[in-house]
Amino acid sequence: MSFDLLDLPEPDRPPVDPEEYLRALMRWHFSVETGSPFWLRRAQSLDFDPIHDVRTFGDLRRFPNVVDEFRAVPVEDLVPRGLTGADRVIAGVYESGGTTGLPKRFVMFDRWMEFALGWDESHYAALGTANVLLVGPSGPHMFGEFARRRARRHDGMLFAVDLDPRWIKKLLERGDAAESERYVEHVVDQAAHILSTQTVGILITTPPLLERLTRRNDLVETIRKDVRYLCWSGAHLDADTREIFQTEIFPGIPLKGLYGSTTILGMSRERDVERADGLAAFDPPSPYIVFRVVDPETGEDVAFGERGQVVMNHLTKYALIPNNLERDHAMSIEPPAGWFGCSVADVGPVATFGDTTVIEGVY
Amino acid sequence: MSTPVQAAVADQNAEQTGADVQIDALGPDGPYRSRRRAPLSALSGAPVGEISQVPALYVRRTLAAMRAAPVLPIAARLDALDRAAELFATATIGGFDLDGYLQLVSTASGVPRAVVSVGVEWITDVLRSQRHTMALARPNGAVDAWRDERTVAGSAVWTRRGDLFAVHAAGNTPAVHGLWPEALALGYKVVVRPSSREPYTAFRLVEALRQAGFPPATVTLLPTDHDVADILIHESDFAIVYGGQDVVDKYGAVPTVLTQGPGRSKILVTADVDWREKIDIIADSVSHLGGTACTCTTAVLVEGDPEPLAAALAERLGRVPSLSPEHPDAILTVQPVAAARAVDSYLHQVAGDARALLGGDSIVDELPGGGAVLRPAVHLVDAARAPQLGVELPFPCVWVGPWSPADGVAPLRDTLVLTAMTTRADLIDALLDEPSITNLYLGDHPTTWLRPGVPHDGYLAEHLMRTKGMIRSDVPRSTSEPVPPTD
């Protein structure tokens, strides 16, 4: 049995039929020869047979959300047995933010990571050689490794200032706003030193940290002079703030977002066409990563233009993470023609998630 | 800042339809209409328009621009305040003449038209009185400006402790905007976060001040949600915050925040005074401004049997008619029916063992045109330390209880205005010495009495200003480029 259509896309190969792809993917993850120990074990307690019963994108909803099990499962068990050779090269083990409880662990494969990194490659096409500054989480998060690979693609150096989002959340949870202020100032000081002594062409950070940087007029001047691309990710950016960044603070410098999650091992890219409402819109790489937006009460998909809670699916031979209800709320928007699921805009936090209050800090 | 917008609420039809009102931010570069806006609605639920909700980034950039802006010289400030008084009281601002504005506030917020009118007069008086108020608030030993001759021999100079003053306003009565103009007179730059229920007065006042000559970066209006409002409060040098006990608890310990919480104003009548002659003053103190001001009487303590006074008070207040807020004779506040019912239910909960003489069944009186009047309530309690005496609600709600000399000052603590109807000089001494009584009125003065120049919660200058010692030998000569005159 051939699994060729599970290979990541290449320039001169015709695109796959999404449903055919999905059926092959079920065979891959639920066959003894190719599936991961985790899924082969987990299949025994499913009340359906994925190979026979999952024929369409809609059928994926039969899967339970298993990501909570990723808090404790040994990561070796997440590796599909069918992966060999270059497919089997591991880029790293990354953890979710830990916003809603203990972190979950995911295995990132090198080939997939290169594909995920390239999803918004067109945005960087004209930049040429550039150094990259990451002001954001490295550590157990995938953000830092993506920045390192971004620098490599531009023949540039990576400067990285780490930010520990879990520590900030702890400070905010216990109401220590003053200490979190000091911590963030400490991060900004480090970024300021790099910006003022080095030439940074690509700045990757979160909207709250970008806002922090802009409180210092000298940094705004330096960024305007040197930085040719601003990449934001990891938090909400409202239309008004986005417009002020674009038109007043950094006119002429592309400001593009990535919306993703460790639980999908990748990101959706910001759409190039501006919306009338000023919101950033995000397209995931269907059929490898697919979004739905659901009514949190009923679990049913909301109509395009409506808000709801984001459900993410990672559907590759490297991992199967179906039907994962994320913490974010977003507006569902029409995806490009022929794509599974939906695209999203106006991504923001939910007030509460289960029993844990979600705190949106600087991450 | 980049969105080109006309001054808000300019639509010719706004007064008729009321549905096109836009309350924009008034920023350092002019009006700003954010994409994120909250609906404004009338008591009936009918749409009035929208209010911008500016993001944190806009707030911080505004504060930075305000800090960078020069201080207007004192003479220019005082002249501008005079002109602003005239504009605020008479001009067409944002498409609304005075009458249209009064109508808008009463239909949209339920504050009776007459109460809004009194608020406008009060704010106008305050704007006109700043010369006088500053002179009264300044310590005797201090001069206004270092150029004053007295500094040659050595004297104090009155100086600002900071630069930026934030106002987190309330919408219960326009009169809340009568305190902060003092900060502008003192040379502070002022940023106002309006109430989302009644942003119209703040808009009218800020716009009037700007038209009168205050540069946009010296006085701004930033409508925001509560989270962003916290940024204003924390990142300004000083702030005044209106709200309930929750606000007092939240900011009470922050030395730069002046909280305007429940006033718990009271009247004390001792046995040497015949309350029958004073009943109108007492009733007025309860119902003035619809009972929504922190100076309205919340509790009356009577030496001897309080019941006859309570009964007379119930009789007077029971006669106040229920009218729509636009009616010229209306004094009672109107709120959406659900909000009125919530107040009523809370009243029943807190009343406990107090005996209702008025409003015991329900204080909610629904109006045919939408909304419900909050009718007065009078309750009798049996002890001077009854907890109900400290319960301040946003309508004419008064608790009447007994007091005896043996109770002393204790039941009268934590009072914004105490009117003492007494002839006992030793008691007056004790009341004046009590630190938690903010203002003491004697005799025939309602707790709601106010006059520009007489402090309401101290002079604002007590918080915002300090003295610095100065001695100098001669007048420094100006360089070729004269330094802008300080004040």
Side-chain angles (χ1 to χ4, degrees), chain A residues 181 211 214-215 224 238-241 243-245 247-249 275-278, chain B residues 1-3 29 32-37 53-58 60-61 235:
Chain A
E181 282 289 303
E211 196 259 336
T214 64
R215 287 189 215 169
R224 280 178 179 161
D238 67 85
D240 290 309
T241 304
E243 184 179 39
I244 296 170
F245 279 138
T247 61
E248 289 190 32
I249 308 180
R275 292 168 56 86
D277 59 15
Chain B
M1 297 182 204
S2 62
T3 314
D29 298 327
Y32 167 68
R33 185 169 302 169
S34 58
R35 289 174 184 270
R36 189 170 156 233
R37 298 191 288 276
Q53 300 284 284
V54 305
L57 180 59
Y58 187 85
R60 290 209 166 92
R61 288 174 65 73
E235 298 187 12

Side-chain angles (χ1 to χ4, degrees), chain B residues 43 322-326 333-335 337 365-373:
Chain B
L43 294 165
S322 290
L323 297 168
S324 75
E326 302 84 6
T333 297
V334 180
Q335 288 203 2
V337 175
D365 193 2
E366 285 189 49
L367 291 173
V373 171

Side-chain angles (χ1 to χ4, degrees), chain A residues 330-352:
Chain A
M331 184 200 295
S332 171
I333 61 173
E334 200 166 342
W339 289 25
F340 276 155
C342 64
S343 295
V344 296
D346 200 14
V347 180
V350 221
T352 57

Side-chain angles (χ1 to χ4, degrees), chain B residues 41-90:
Chain B
S41 50
L43 294 165
S44 59
V48 169
E50 294 176 321
I51 181 167
S52 281
Q53 300 284 284
V54 305
L57 180 59
Y58 187 85
V59 168
R60 290 209 166 92
R61 288 174 65 73
T62 297
L63 297 184
M66 292 177 78
R67 283 196 191 280
V71 175
L72 203 60
I74 186 165
R77 299 200 299 266
L78 293 171
D79 289 348
L81 285 162
D82 285 341
R83 278 193 298 277
E86 191 62 27
L87 290 166
F88 182 71
T90 62

Side-chain angles (χ1 to χ4, degrees), chain B residues 227-251:
Chain B
D227 287 345
V228 179
D230 271 349
I231 296 172
L232 277 183
I233 295 165
H234 284 113
E235 298 187 12
S236 296
D237 299 321
F238 291 93
I240 188 166
V241 180
Y242 291 83
Q245 189 60 42
D246 52 335
V247 164
V248 175
D249 294 343
K250 183 173 176 188
Y251 295 111

